[in-house]
Amino acid sequence: MKQKINFFAIVFVMTFCLFQNDAVAQDMKNEKGKDMKIEEDGSKMKMSMDEMKSWPMASQMAVKEQMDLYGKPAEMTPTTVVWHNNGPWKKTIISKMENKHDFPKTHMDCMEQCVSYKVPIDKYDDLAQFDGSVTVDRTQGLLAARCDKEENNFLALNLAHDVITGNKSVEEARKAYGEMIKQAMAGNKPEYMKKLTFSSNMNAADPDVMTVGMK
């Protein structure tokens, strides 16, 4: 009887050890898979950064600025780099394609940054007159600025907020934009270029109303 019990005990121990070995092997396999994925991601990132050397300088500088501030992007393609919910922004998109913009001084627009913001429809024209690189997406509830530096996008959106709320006229906002850029160039960066002076509105989306199929 004692020998029979010992036999079953030995079988139990051997079976348990086999399960343990399988579990350890699976854990090692999973860890190896993670390491391989990290290496692949790093390789893809390096390849994308190498490809970016052919991008215009303004776009390259914008990517470097955002990576220094918010870490690696969520998406990288041959023509765009994207961050989601980085800092105060709902989204940041840097494009290989630049657009010349002469207001308030000549520069190249390449980085669009947006916030959740509900813009009254009767203010759309005012925003267009203030700055052609400030845009509104009514359906998604987004207010965006496109420039070459984050500090300039802060400035554009803060002044856009002033126009929307009636604190400044279009002419006053355009004048203030130029004056603050001059201050920054002289080494005295105003608060409007350091952060957003308003809060995002997470309920800004406007899906509109259905007009087809209704009686």
Side-chain angles (χ1 to χ4, degrees):
M1 183 68 178
K2 186 175 181 181
Q3 290 179 345
K4 189 174 183 180
I5 293 173
N6 288 341
F7 172 76
F8 282 114
I10 292 169
V11 171
F12 174 78
V13 171
M14 291 178 65
T15 303
F16 179 77
C17 289
L18 286 172
F19 277 121
Q20 284 286 86
N21 289 338
D22 287 344
V24 171
Q26 186 62 43
D27 287 342
M28 290 176 66
K29 185 178 179 181
N30 291 339
E31 288 300 319
K32 185 176 181 181
K34 289 179 182 177
D35 291 342
M36 289 178 65
K37 187 175 188 308
I38 291 172
E39 288 178 4
E40 287 177 4
D41 290 345
S43 178
K44 289 178 182 178
M45 180 69 72
K46 184 177 180 181
M47 288 173 61
S48 298
M49 293 303 291
D50 287 341
E51 292 172 355
M52 204 171 290
K53 291 177 181 178
S54 65
W55 285 31
M57 186 53 64
S59 297
Q60 290 190 51
M61 293 300 292
V63 170
K64 183 180 184 306
E65 174 194 61
Q66 292 300 293
M67 289 186 71
D68 288 345
L69 288 170
Y70 306 113
K72 72 177 185 178
E75 303 170 32
M76 294 185 77
T77 76
T79 57
T80 56
V81 181
V82 182
W83 285 260
H84 298 284
N85 299 308
N86 57 313
W89 308 109
K90 177 76 172 178
K91 184 188 294 186
T92 294
I93 304 173
I94 300 175
S95 175
K96 180 179 181 179
M97 183 181 71
E98 299 177 320
N99 297 105
K100 182 184 176 184
H101 190 194
D102 289 332
F103 173 74
K105 68 184 186 69
T106 301
H107 63 279
M108 303 303 292
D109 283 352
C110 60
M111 178 169 65
E112 181 179 70
Q113 296 181 293
C114 61
V115 293
S116 296
Y117 192 110
K118 194 175 187 69
V119 179
I121 295 177
D122 61 357
K123 293 294 183 178
Y124 283 23
D125 287 347
D126 288 343
L127 289 180
Q129 292 176 45
F130 160 59
D131 185 348
S133 291
V134 170
T135 58
V136 179
D137 185 325
R138 174 184 166 191
T139 304
Q140 294 188 74
L142 299 176
L143 178 64
R146 191 167 190 265
C147 200
D148 59 338
K149 297 177 182 178
E150 181 173 281
E151 61 187 28
N152 294 343
N153 283 337
F154 280 143
L155 177 58
L157 291 182
N158 285 331
L159 289 171
H161 175 68
D162 284 347
V163 171
I164 293 167
T165 56
N167 289 330
K168 285 184 176 66
S169 66
V170 170
E171 293 74 19
E172 289 171 340
R174 286 178 65 84
K175 182 179 179 181
Y177 200 132
E179 290 174 346
M180 291 188 198
I181 289 293
K182 288 180 181 178
Q183 290 178 34
M185 292 173 66
N188 184 25
K189 189 183 299 183
E191 288 299 313
Y192 266 39
M193 298 181 72
K194 295 179 181 179
K195 62 181 180 179
L196 295 174
T197 60
F198 57 90
S199 299
S200 297
N201 178 3
M202 302 313 294
N203 298 313
D206 181 0
D208 211 332
V209 296
M210 184 170 63
T211 59
V212 176
M214 298 182 66
K215 296 181 179 180

